[in-house]
């Protein structure tokens, strides 16, 4: 049986964080009542004249620069014609042959190897409206249309078909999301649709140069969905090949609940968008000065920051990758390290309990009530031995839930670590007296018995005894 | 003939035009006349002419990212064929 290799390219749509839409002054705010953010321009009423939002062009150039693209000196908008009720004009204003940016790349890390994935192009376009189907999509007889999202600025980022596994595709999307978030041009919230991903997938016998026929996968609303949809699609295509069939070029929609992809429509004949230059919008001439000016607004990007974290803080590469994957997390980390200069300890807490609690509550960094200074303060208490590692976890959970200062929690709950040798010694004596069997075992050479005895002392002190001291005293007495 | 009746039929489908058989024949003829004329234009030497992206000699017409009040919802929906729950109600598209 032939071995097959998947070939994957991604098309990612990112909603830009501007105040107003791409061609009119209507609001882009998310979550308003239906049709509250529209105007004659975005509703496509006759006789209106769209005018490009300068910020959209700036943001698109910024994205292009962050993705190592060449910025077009001359760019224009085109009409992409198709009929669908989410598009009031019956065309979408997009870019066809002269996109704002081309020929870029980004780098991903998979299994410890760095791989470069090409960016074919970045272009600007307007978003479409939202259709709400009554009942299920298959049995409702009409749709309700909300045009709030119509005209919200998007950039579409098209990759080269450079990815060879679902893991690489996932890593690409993660990196792309991180880069875009760092530039501040989008929130990149997949659940709110401000980051959307379609995938072009084909398979070919290993060693074959020529690509197989591809299917376009849509409707993957999370990283997990992307991964699952790709695995499913690759299997489906390999099966068709092995059974001697032919993969047809089509668009397929991922059904997350059922875990299958379904054919939407055959792309072979239906899709002819008949692009032509948008006559209502004049071309854009992008000067080198303008590009240079935008370049100066680029922040330190994830790759640079990651390298700096390894260099400056001596962190393992893994920690640096995780911490810098989100700008807010990296900012948080650095603010904390500034006040508690033990970079690895801070990293362990942020990647450990901090992330665990945050993910359990589906929170984002900005929602977390613990301030970096408070985490630093808690780590100082831990370092000074005022609290034990075990107590620190309890305090941390309290801080996470309430946002209170660690020292207040320590005082209030009486959690100060017992480091008074006399106090611990008397408890140690009691524990030894009450557990003669373990004492005997330890003396007979069973080292595990010591762990049990330490546990008993900790239990008696409600976890407050200084563990180092407990160990030392127990060993002495034994 | 540069364009066939079948191509015109496909074009009509894409443009949501309901053409009769006579329409189709007539349009095929007139589109071919236009295409023939384009052939004539194509004979001109344009090797020293910049491709035009627009008929006007304008570039970089932008506006600032400044919010203005939206259209009142009632006005936005005034042309809706039907309305429900503040939304345009349209036949379901398959």
């Amino acid at each position: 049986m032939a071995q097959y290799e998947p070939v994957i390219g991604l098309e990612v749509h990112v909603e830009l964080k501007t105040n107003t839409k791409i061609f009119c002054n209507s609001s882009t705010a998310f979550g308003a009542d239906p049709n509250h953010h529209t105007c004659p321009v975005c509703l496509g009423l006759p006789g209106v004249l769209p005018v490009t939002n300068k910020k959209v062009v700036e943001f698109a150039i910024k994205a292009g620069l962050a993705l190592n693209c060449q910025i077009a000196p001359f760019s224009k908008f085109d009409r992409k014609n198709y009929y669908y009720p989410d598009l009031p004009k019956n065309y979408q204003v997009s870019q066809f042959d002269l996109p704002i940016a081309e020929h870029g790349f980004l780098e991903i890390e998979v299994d410890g190897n760095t791989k470069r994935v090409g960016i074919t192009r970045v272009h600007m376009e307007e978003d479409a409206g939202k259709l709400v189907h009554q009942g299920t999509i298959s049995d409702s007889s009409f749709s309700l249309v909300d045009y709030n999202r119509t005209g919200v600025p998007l950039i579409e980022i098209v990759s080269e078909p450079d990815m060879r596994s679902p893991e690489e595709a996932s890593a690409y999307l993660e990196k792309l999301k991180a880069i875009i978030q760092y530039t501040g041009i989008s929130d990149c919230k997949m659940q709110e649709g401000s980051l959307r991903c379609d995938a072009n997938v084909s398979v070919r016998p290993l060693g074959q140069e020529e690509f197989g026929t591809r299917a376009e996968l849509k409707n993957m609303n999370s990283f997990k969905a992307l991964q699952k949809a790709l695995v499913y699609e690759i299997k489906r295509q390999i099966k068709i090949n092995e059974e001697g069939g032919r993969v047809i070029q089509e668009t397929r929609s991922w059904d997350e609940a059922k875990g299958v992809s379904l054919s939407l429509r055959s792309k072979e004949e239906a899709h002819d968008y008949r692009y032509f230059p948008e006559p209502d919008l004049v071309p854009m001439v992008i000067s080198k000065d303008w590009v240079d000016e935008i370049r100066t607004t680029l922040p330190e990007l994830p790759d640079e920051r990651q390298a700096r974290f390894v260099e400056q803080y001596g962190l393992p590469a893994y920690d640096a990758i995780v911490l810098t994957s989100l700008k807010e997390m990296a900012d948080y980390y650095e603010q904390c390290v500034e006040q508690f200069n033990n970079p690895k300890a801070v990293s362990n807490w942020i990647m450990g309990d901090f992330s665990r609690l945050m993910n359990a509550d589906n929170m984002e960094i900005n929602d977390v009530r613990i301030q970096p200074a408070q985490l630093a303060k808690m780590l100082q208490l831990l370092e000074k031995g005022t609290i034990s590692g075990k107590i620190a976890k309890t305090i941390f959970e309290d801080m996470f839930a309430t946002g209170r200062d660690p020292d207040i929690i320590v005082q209030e709950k009486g959690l100060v670590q017992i480091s008074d040798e006399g106090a611990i010694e008397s408890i140690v004596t009691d524990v030894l007296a009450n557990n003669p069997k373990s004492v005997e075992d330890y003396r007979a050479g069973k080292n595990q018995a010591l762990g049990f005895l330490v546990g008993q002392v900790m239990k008696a002190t409600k976890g407050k005894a200084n563990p180092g001291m407990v160990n030392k005293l127990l060993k002495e007495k034994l | 003939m540069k364009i066939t009746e079948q191509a015109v039929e496909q074009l009509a489908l894409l443009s949501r035009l309901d053409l009769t058989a006579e329409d189709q024949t007539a349009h095929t003829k007139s589109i071919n006349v236009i295409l023939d004329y384009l052939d004539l234009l194509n004979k001109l030497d344009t090797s020293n002419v910049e491709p035009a992206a627009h008929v006007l000699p304008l570039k970089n017409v932008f506006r600032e990212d400044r919010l203005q009040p939206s259209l009142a919802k009632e006005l936005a929906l005034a042309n809706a064929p039907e309305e429900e729950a503040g939304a345009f109600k349209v036949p379901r598209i398959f």
Side-chain angles (χ1 to χ4, degrees):
Chain A
M1 204 185 293
Q3 280 272 65
Y4 286 89
E5 174 184 60
V7 173
I8 304 166
L10 296 186
E11 292 174 11
V12 176
H13 286 88
V14 173
E15 259 182 22
L16 301 180
K17 215 167 63 182
T18 52
N19 296 321
T20 66
K21 295 186 178 180
I22 183 166
F23 300 122
C24 65
N25 296 303
S26 296
S27 169
T28 56
F30 179 79
D33 285 342
N35 297 299
H36 270 259
H37 295 322
T38 67
C39 78
V41 174
C42 57
L43 285 174
L45 299 186
V48 296
L49 191 65
V51 184
T52 307
N53 184 342
K54 193 174 182 187
K55 190 134 232 176
V56 171
V57 184
E58 280 168 8
F59 279 3
I61 294 172
K62 201 168 180 180
L65 291 172
L67 296 169
N68 305 299
C69 289
Q70 290 163 24
I71 306 302
F74 184 87
S75 187
K76 70 171 168 72
F77 285 105
D78 300 275
R79 290 186 182 180
K80 178 181 180 179
N81 298 280
Y82 65 93
Y83 290 80
Y84 205 66
D86 62 2
L87 212 56
K89 300 192 295 284
N90 292 333
Y91 59 82
Q92 178 191 27
V93 179
S94 181
Q95 295 197 283
F96 183 51
D97 57 335
L98 295 169
I100 188 77
E102 286 181 287
H103 313 304
F105 66 87
L106 59 74
E107 280 174 348
I108 56 172
E109 259 109 292
V110 177
D111 298 331
N113 299 316
T114 301
K115 175 171 178 170
R116 185 173 280 203
V117 178
I119 308 273
T120 314
R121 57 188 271 155
V122 177
H123 72 247
M124 301 177 276
E125 63 185 25
E126 56 181 348
D127 206 347
K130 211 172 78 186
L131 292 185
V132 183
H133 302 276
Q134 292 284 298
T136 67
I137 190 158
S138 53
D139 66 19
S140 102
S141 58
F142 59 89
S143 304
L144 298 178
V145 194
D146 172 8
Y147 288 123
N148 282 343
R149 212 177 61 185
T150 305
V152 167
L154 296 176
I155 49 171
E156 178 174 337
I157 302 154
V158 182
S159 85
E160 291 289 311
D162 284 349
M163 289 154 277
R164 296 289 174 268
S165 67
E167 292 70 34
E168 288 187 6
S170 228
Y172 167 84
L173 189 60
E174 289 272 9
K175 182 52 85 61
L176 182 63
K177 181 182 174 205
I179 293 171
I180 297 295
Q181 265 177 342
Y182 268 65
T183 62
I185 65 172
S186 173
D187 292 329
C188 296
K189 288 185 182 164
M190 270 187 119
Q191 66 282 9
E192 287 183 11
S194 63
L195 178 81
R196 306 197 280 272
C197 177
D198 300 334
N200 288 309
V201 187
S202 63
V203 298
R204 61 181 173 189
L206 205 59
Q208 178 182 306
E209 188 98 2
E210 195 188 325
F211 290 152
T213 305
R214 66 169 199 256
E216 188 181 354
L217 278 179
K218 286 182 177 292
N219 198 34
M220 295 150 301
N221 299 322
S222 66
F223 279 89
K224 220 188 262 167
L226 170 69
Q227 186 91 6
K228 274 162 69 184
L230 288 174
V231 168
Y232 176 90
E233 182 59 21
I234 292 163
K235 269 197 197 138
R236 188 186 73 86
Q237 293 187 13
I238 290 176
K239 188 157 175 275
I240 291 175
N241 276 299
E242 285 179 343
E243 289 169 355
R246 188 176 70 97
V247 173
I248 55 166
Q249 188 175 336
E250 61 180 350
T251 304
R252 300 180 68 86
S253 177
W254 175 247
D255 185 327
E256 176 71 11
K258 295 199 182 109
V260 295
S261 70
L262 301 165
S263 178
L264 275 184
R265 58 196 170 220
S266 170
K267 231 184 168 181
E268 277 173 322
E269 72 230 314
H271 274 232
D272 181 351
Y273 293 125
R274 292 154 296 142
Y275 283 95
F276 65 86
E278 165 61 89
D280 285 345
L281 294 160
V282 301
M284 293 159 280
V285 174
I286 316 290
S287 71
K288 192 179 165 295
D289 285 353
W290 195 15
V291 174
D292 286 344
E293 192 187 313
I294 293 168
R295 201 190 304 275
T296 63
T297 68
L298 275 182
E300 182 185 37
L301 293 170
D303 284 346
E304 296 158 22
R305 199 168 198 183
Q306 187 189 313
R308 181 167 63 78
F309 273 28
V310 171
E311 169 88 2
Q312 181 178 345
Y313 301 123
L315 289 178
Y318 177 76
D319 292 42
I321 291 172
V322 174
L323 291 172
T324 56
S325 64
L326 273 177
K327 182 170 185 293
E328 288 78 11
M329 195 186 295
D331 289 346
Y332 192 104
Y333 173 79
E334 294 211 271
Q335 284 168 33
C336 197
V337 168
E338 214 169 89
Q339 296 174 65
F340 182 73
N341 191 19
N342 183 339
K344 182 57 184 155
V346 175
S347 169
N348 289 347
W349 276 88
I350 291 183
M351 286 172 42
D353 290 55
F354 190 95
S355 295
R356 179 177 57 80
L357 293 174
M358 203 171 72
N359 294 337
D361 288 354
N362 222 342
M363 288 164 85
E364 290 176 36
I365 303 264
N366 293 335
D367 306 327
V368 173
R369 303 176 75 172
I370 304 176
Q371 297 307 306
Q374 291 175 308
L375 177 56
K377 209 183 279 175
M378 189 207 80
L379 292 171
Q380 280 154 11
L381 293 176
L382 183 59
E383 191 186 50
K384 277 190 291 187
T386 312
I387 55 173
S388 67
K390 192 162 174 252
I391 293 289
K393 281 184 182 282
T394 313
I395 292 171
F396 187 80
E397 282 180 19
D398 190 319
M399 290 166 71
F400 195 89
T402 63
R404 294 191 302 167
D405 271 351
D407 29 13
I408 291 174
I409 300 168
V410 169
Q411 296 241 316
E412 191 185 285
K413 295 195 171 172
L415 293 173
V416 176
Q417 177 164 271
I418 304 169
S419 297
D420 172 2
E421 196 162 325
I424 295 178
E425 193 174 354
S426 75
I427 295 161
V428 165
T429 311
D430 284 353
V431 165
L432 292 179
N434 294 334
N435 297 281
K437 173 91 175 54
S438 299
V439 174
E440 215 171 284
D441 286 350
Y442 180 77
R443 286 181 179 145
K446 286 189 186 167
N447 279 326
Q448 328 67 302
L450 182 67
F452 173 78
L453 292 168
V454 170
Q456 292 305 303
V457 177
M458 295 312 280
K459 200 172 158 194
T461 58
K462 297 193 178 77
K464 290 188 285 184
N466 181 326
M469 217 170 259
V470 173
N471 260 300
K472 184 181 130 246
L473 287 169
L474 271 172
K475 279 189 186 155
E476 278 172 19
K477 301 229 168 233
L478 286 163
Chain B
M1 294 290 258
K2 302 192 128 345
I3 189 166
T4 61
E5 287 225 13
Q6 282 86 341
V8 172
E9 191 182 349
Q10 169 72 3
L11 197 59
L13 182 82
L14 288 170
S15 311
R16 301 298 187 270
L17 293 173
D18 200 3
L19 299 185
T20 63
E22 295 87 69
D23 284 343
Q24 216 163 282
T25 312
H27 283 300
T28 308
K29 268 190 196 142
S30 54
I31 292 174
N32 273 309
V33 171
I34 295 167
L35 291 175
D36 286 342
Y37 180 62
L38 287 174
D39 266 352
L40 185 66
L41 289 180
N42 276 336
K43 289 194 177 121
L44 286 171
D45 179 10
T46 55
S47 51
N48 291 320
V49 182
E50 284 272 313
H54 203 276
V55 293
L56 299 174
L58 289 172
K59 57 175 172 91
N60 295 356
V61 177
F62 298 122
R63 74 185 160 74
E64 296 303 313
D65 186 29
R66 234 171 267 129
L67 202 63
Q68 272 176 23
S70 297
L71 203 56
K73 200 187 75 182
E74 298 67 40
L75 285 173
L77 287 161
N79 290 320
E82 277 188 78
E83 183 199 325
E84 189 174 310
F88 292 72
K89 188 174 171 183
V90 299
R92 181 194 158 208
I93 305 296
F94 291 87

